[in-house]
Amino acid sequence: MPLRPSIHLLRAHAKRVRRGHPWAYSNEIRMNAETKSLTPGCVVRVIDAGGEALGCATFNPHSLIAARMLSSDPDQAIDRDFFARRIEAAAALRDRLYDAPFYRLVHAEADGLPGLVIDRFGDVFVCQVNTAGMDALATVLLDALGAVFAPRAVVLRADSAVRALEGLDRRVEVASGALDGAVELREGALRFLADPVEGQKTGWYFDQSENRAFVARLAPGGRMLDLYSYAGGFAICAAAAGAREVVAVDRSEAALALGERAAALNGVRCGFVRADAFTEMQRLAGAGETFEVVAADPPSFVKSRKEVKPGLRGYRKLARLAAALVAPGGYLFIASCSYNVAAEAFGEAVYRGMTDAGRSGRVLRAAGAAPDHPRHPTLPESDYLKSLVIQLD
Ligand code: SAH
C-alpha cells in the first residue's frame, strides 16, 4: 500500500487532538499547496508540529472542519473490517439498551465514525453520509453493513444540508436490496411506519423515543394535541396510553398519511390535521379549545449562529401559543433540535413564553436525545436536542 499522505498541525494546535478531540479545523493545519491539493475525503496521517503522528483522519481541504479523526493509529487500514468492527461495537451497545432492532445504530463521532449516521429499521438500514470523507468511503461502508447484517435494503441518504459545507452534491438512493415504500418499526409495544427514501431525515425521529414514552404517561383520560407530529409518534403513544382524544398537526401530507396508517395498525384513533402549527394554535385558542397534554416538537428554528436571536423569539412565541392551549393542571412538552441553541437559553425562552401566556408551573423533566444518540465527550455541539415537560397551573 502506498504511504498515505500526511497533514501537519500547526504548533500549539495539537493538544486538543492529542486529548481525544475528533476534529482539526482548517486554520490549525499547515495549508501548503500540497495539502490544499489533496482529494477531498482522502484518508491522511495527522502529524503534530514535532513530527509525531497522532493518528489518521479523513481530510477535506475545503471544509472548516478539515480533518476528522478515525483512529489513533496513523496507519490503521480504513477498510471493510475497520467499519465492521465499529458497527458491531455500536450494535452491541444498542442491543443492550433496546429489546428490538429499531434504533440509531451509528451516531457519528460518538461511535467512532465521523460524518456517518445510520438508523436501523430491523433489516433495513438508512445511512446519512454527511462529509466528503464518508462519501469517499461509502462503498466500504456498504460492504461492511452487508458483512455484519445481511440487510434486506440499505438506503443512502446523501441529502442533508450540511453536505453543502463539504462541497458535496445531494442525492438519495437505494444502494443495495430493494424497498417498496414505508417500513414498519416498533417502539415498545407500538408499531410505526417510516419511509426511508421519501421521509424526512432517515424516515424516523428515534431521538424522541424516550420523550414520547414519558409524555404518554401523562396522557390517560385527557385530550392530547401533538404539534409538528410528523408520522404520529407522540400522538399514537398518547392514544395507546389511554388519551381520551388525540389531534396531530403537521404541514406534511405524506407524514400525516403514514401517521393515519400507523394509528390503524395499533388500533387507536387519532385525528390528523394538515395545517401550519402556529395558525392552528391560534385557531384552536380562538375556539376556546384546551388540552390536558400539548406536545410541540418543531423543526429547527435556528439553522446558523446568526439565527439564534430570532430563533429564540420563535421558541418563546411557540411556548406562549402552546401554553395557552394547556388546560389548568395539564402538561406542555416542548423541544428544540437546534444545536446552536443552548439548553439555558431555550429554557429561558420557554419560561418567558409561558409567562407571556399568564401561566405558572413546574418543570417535571428536562431531557435530550435517547441513548442511541450518544455524544462524543468533547463535542457539546452534538447535544442538539433539548426538551422540557412543564405542568402548568
Ligand atoms: N414529533 C415528531 C417529529 C417532528 S419533526 C416525532 O416524534 O416523530 C418536525 C415536523 O414539523 C415535521 O414533520 C415537519 O413536517 C413539521 N413542520 C415543519 N414546519 C411546520 C409548520 N410550520 N407547521 C406544522 N408542521 C410543520
Side-chain angles (χ1 to χ4, degrees):
M1 188 180 83
L3 195 63
R4 60 177 50 138
S6 295
I7 59 161
H8 297 266
L9 297 180
L10 297 172
R11 201 166 289 286
H13 286 294
K15 208 150 115 198
R16 243 193 25 251
V17 172
R18 196 189 297 282
R19 283 207 194 126
H21 194 286
W23 297 344
Y25 295 97
S26 57
N27 63 359
E28 299 175 324
I29 295 165
R30 197 164 80 209
M31 283 289 183
N32 53 23
E34 201 184 325
T35 307
K36 279 189 196 148
S37 67
L38 289 172
T39 311
C42 67
V43 178
V44 296
R45 308 170 95 233
V46 178
I47 313 292
D48 78 0
E52 188 191 341
L54 302 181
C56 65
T58 57
F59 181 67
N60 182 354
H62 309 308
S63 170
L64 188 61
I65 304 171
R68 295 172 187 261
M69 299 301 294
L70 290 167
S71 166
S72 56
D73 173 357
D75 299 310
Q76 168 70 53
I78 306 303
D79 54 9
R80 188 181 82 167
D81 284 354
F82 170 81
F83 272 90
R85 281 197 306 274
R86 298 259 157 125
I87 289 169
E88 279 165 354
L93 171 63
R94 274 64 176 188
D95 288 339
R96 184 168 284 270
L97 293 166
Y98 295 85
D99 56 14
F102 306 98
Y103 44 59
R104 174 145 299 182
L105 170 64
V106 167
H107 196 43
E109 278 81 356
D111 288 301
L113 293 169
L116 177 66
V117 161
I118 306 178
D119 277 356
R120 179 174 188 190
F121 302 89
D123 55 4
V124 174
F125 295 79
V126 184
C127 306
Q128 274 187 323
V129 175
N130 294 326
T131 60
M134 266 308 144
D135 209 63
L137 290 164
T139 314
V140 184
L141 158 70
L142 292 171
D143 273 0
L145 271 177
V148 176
F149 296 108
R152 171 158 65 94
V154 179
V155 177
L156 215 50
R157 299 275 316 223
D159 61 341
S160 66
V162 292
R163 283 175 64 93
L165 304 176
E166 295 270 332
L168 297 168
D169 63 345
R170 289 160 83 161
R171 63 183 196 284
V172 177
E173 61 182 290
V174 180
S176 78
L179 266 186
D180 184 16
V183 296
E184 200 176 306
L185 68 123
R186 286 203 306 279
E187 247 178 56
L190 298 176
R191 299 159 71 189
F192 294 97
L193 292 170
D195 188 332
V197 176
E198 301 287 340
Q200 297 173 26
K201 304 280 169 67
T202 64
W204 189 247
Y205 292 93
F206 283 112
D207 53 357
Q208 293 285 22
S209 62
E210 299 204 339
N211 293 330
R212 285 190 278 264
F214 186 88
V215 169
R217 287 163 60 191
L218 306 169
R223 289 185 90 202
M224 194 271 183
L225 176 65
D226 181 5
L227 297 161
Y228 308 95
S229 68
Y230 190 52
F234 282 90
I236 292 168
C237 287
R244 169 163 52 90
E245 186 192 342
V246 176
V247 180
V249 177
D250 201 281
R251 72 169 180 199
S252 159
E253 187 88 56
L256 293 169
L258 287 180
E260 270 177 1
R261 285 171 56 198
L265 280 178
N266 293 288
V268 298
R269 285 164 58 104
C270 299
F272 288 90
V273 176
R274 184 177 187 198
D276 167 70
F278 278 76
T279 311
E280 184 64 6
M281 282 188 278
Q282 276 156 336
R283 191 192 69 76
L284 289 165
E289 304 242 14
T290 59
F291 299 82
E292 277 68 34
V293 179
V294 175
D297 177 23
S300 176
F301 286 176
V302 180
K303 300 252 161 49
S304 71
R305 271 198 207 140
K306 283 199 298 285
E307 296 174 7
V308 169
K309 268 197 171 166
L312 286 171
R313 282 198 292 276
Y315 289 120
R316 177 174 175 172
K317 181 175 180 190
L318 174 64
R320 168 167 64 82
L321 294 175
L325 295 172
V326 176
Y331 306 92
L332 171 64
F333 167 85
I334 185 164
S336 162
C337 59
S338 307
Y339 65 85
N340 286 302
V341 170
E344 294 72 29
F346 176 63
E348 177 72 19
V350 170
Y351 179 66
R352 286 186 183 199
M354 70 183 239
T355 49
D356 291 344
R359 304 297 293 270
S360 58
R362 58 204 55 76
V363 176
L364 307 186
R365 177 178 149 101
D372 54 348
H373 291 58
R375 165 167 88 69
H376 190 283
T378 66
L379 289 178
E381 300 91 322
S382 52
D383 239 351
Y384 63 101
L385 185 66
K386 10 299 115 182
S387 71
L388 296 167
V389 179
I390 306 172
Q391 185 187 34
L392 296 176
D393 300 320

